[in-house]
Each structure stands twice: as C-alpha cells, then as structure tokens.
Amino acid sequence: MHSILPLLSLSALLVPVQSLYFYIDGSGPKCFFEELPRDTLVVGHYSAEEYNEQRRVWEKHDSLQVHITVDEIFDNDHRVVNQRGPASGRFTFTAADSGDHKLCFTPSSHLGSGWLSASQPMGGVKLSLDLAIGETSDIESSDKGKIQDIVKKVKDLNGRLQDIRREQVFQRVSAANLPILFASAVEREAEFRDQSESTNSRVVKWTLMQLLVLSITCAWQLSHLRSFFIKQKLT
C-alpha cells in the first residue's frame, strides 16, 4: 500500500503554490492525495534526480523517465492524467468535481530496473515538485510570453503564406495571359508591316507620278523651244 506523503501538511494546502521534494525507493511508485475543489486547475512542474554514489551527489540522468498518473478517488479511481515523460517536465489537469485526487510518480530507466537501486541513501530517486493550484491568472501569466511568441510566429507564417499565394496568383495570371500577349504582339507586328507596305506603295506611286509630270513638262518645253527656234529662222 502506497504511503501518503508526510510533507504535505495543512499549511502547505492553504498556499496556491506548493514546493516540495521526496525520495522514491527504486522503481516503485510514490503517491499522495490532494483534495481539490471542483473546476480547479492544477499545474505541476517536476524534476527527478538520481543519486551518484561515486560523486555522492544528486544529478539528472538522460535515461531517467517519470510516469505520472492522477486518479479521482471519488469516481472509482477514474484516471485523468496518464503521462510518461523525461526526468523533468510539466503536467496539468482540471478537477472535474470536488474530492480527493491521487497523484503517483513512478521512475523508470532505459538501462533496466537495476539502474535505480533502492539501496541508495533515502531511495534511488529524488523528485522535486512544484504544484500551482487554482491560481489560473498566475499560471496563464507565466505562459503569456510563450503564447505571444507563438502568436507572432503564426502571424509571420501567415504573412509569408499570403505572399506566396499572391505570387502564385500572379504567375497563374501571367501564364494565362501569355497567349493573349503573344497574339497581341503578332497582331501589332502585322499592323506595322501593313502600314509600312502601304507607306512604301504610296511613296512609289508618288515618285512615279512626279516622274511622269516631269517627263510631260520636259517634252512640252522641248516642243515649245523647237517651235520657237523654227519661227526665228523663218523670220
């Protein structure tokens, strides 16, 4: 039978944030009970350390994991939290109804059960726990900076996405208008060619007309001069 953690005294229950630590023997679970009002938000931060016998200090280890469970005793041990995470992390839950909640922490290791030895002083694992109970404003304010950063990143991503969409629309419109632009260019070239040919034709016609007029004028002048000289001889 799991023992109730003696460090949770009545005075600790009255404060919104509870900071405590306890020792766990080997890989066995350590449980305690918390009476919570209905709709109470609980946020817990934990950190597990393993005892280094050679250095005689408590230190974190990458292979250490912690299995966290929270059961509602008043509701036939209904489990509201079943989380397995690294040596340090966070868990949250909201009390669905008023009553006792059973919180259990079970350490484990990738290196096998022999890694966590219960023969170490005060147990093989030291687990530090900070519980914030019911202070939703404080809990939300602690995460406000992270949320703002996430919102900013999302806005930046949305802006980039809009730019990409506008570029795609522009490319599609350009591709769709390319045949029209090509046809328009061909049509303009044909019009310019027709105008050039028409202008050249008019220039040629005007030149021929000028040559014809000059030829007629020259012939008339020669005929007139010839008649004039003939009259001069006769006189």
Side-chain angles (χ1 to χ4, degrees):
M1 180 176 180
H2 305 306
S3 60
I4 300 175
L5 185 66
L7 295 177
L8 287 179
S9 60
L10 180 61
S11 60
L13 292 175
L14 297 177
V15 296
V17 179
Q18 303 174 8
S19 299
L20 58 144
Y21 67 90
F22 49 90
Y23 301 96
I24 304 177
D25 296 335
S27 59
K30 190 72 171 182
C31 301
F32 62 91
F33 296 88
E34 186 78 29
E35 185 176 359
L36 300 172
R38 183 177 181 179
D39 296 331
T40 300
L41 177 64
V42 178
V43 178
H45 295 267
Y46 67 91
S47 177
E49 297 176 310
E50 186 243 344
Y51 187 74
N52 190 325
E53 188 176 4
Q54 295 179 352
R55 301 177 58 185
R56 297 185 180 277
V57 293
W58 294 95
E59 59 185 15
K60 293 183 180 180
H61 202 279
D62 295 336
S63 64
L64 189 61
Q65 293 184 341
V66 179
H67 183 207
I68 304 170
T69 60
V70 178
D71 299 330
E72 295 176 339
I73 304 301
F74 57 87
D75 191 13
N76 296 324
D77 292 336
H78 174 251
R79 182 156 293 180
V80 294
V81 175
N82 187 13
Q83 174 180 325
R84 186 181 300 274
S88 60
R90 167 181 169 173
F91 65 94
T92 62
F93 69 94
T94 302
D97 206 345
S98 301
D100 288 334
H101 291 69
K102 180 181 178 182
L103 290 78
C104 293
F105 300 85
T106 306
S108 62
S109 174
H110 298 303
L111 302 180
S113 58
W115 177 263
L116 302 174
S117 176
S119 62
Q120 302 293 345
M122 296 177 291
V125 175
K126 176 184 176 182
L127 195 141
S128 302
L129 179 63
D130 292 332
L131 286 179
I133 301 176
E135 296 293 328
T136 56
S137 59
D138 294 338
I139 296 171
E140 291 175 355
S141 62
S142 64
D143 294 336
K144 187 176 181 180
K146 295 181 181 179
I147 294 176
Q148 290 178 349
D149 292 339
I150 294 175
V151 170
K152 183 179 179 181
K153 291 180 180 179
V154 170
K155 289 183 179 179
D156 293 339
L157 290 176
N158 286 333
R160 294 180 182 179
L161 182 60
Q162 293 296 329
D163 294 338
I164 293 173
R165 287 180 177 175
R166 284 194 292 268
E167 182 67 21
Q168 290 177 344
V169 171
F170 176 76
Q171 291 179 356
R172 285 197 296 266
V173 172
S174 300
N177 292 334
L178 185 60
I180 299 176
L181 295 175
F182 180 75
S184 178
V186 172
E187 184 178 356
R188 290 180 181 178
E189 183 181 359
E191 291 179 356
F192 179 76
R193 185 173 61 253
D194 293 340
Q195 290 179 357
S196 298
E197 292 177 355
S198 177
T199 302
N200 292 334
S201 177
R202 291 177 182 178
V203 170
V204 171
K205 289 180 180 180
W206 179 249
T207 303
L208 292 176
M209 290 178 64
Q210 287 181 339
L211 290 175
L212 180 61
V213 171
L214 288 174
S215 298
I216 294 173
T217 303
C218 290
W220 179 80
Q221 288 181 350
L222 290 174
S223 176
H224 179 72
L225 289 174
R226 183 179 179 183
S227 300
F228 175 76
F229 286 125
I230 291 173
K231 289 180 180 181
Q232 289 293 332
K233 287 182 179 181
L234 292 176
T235 58

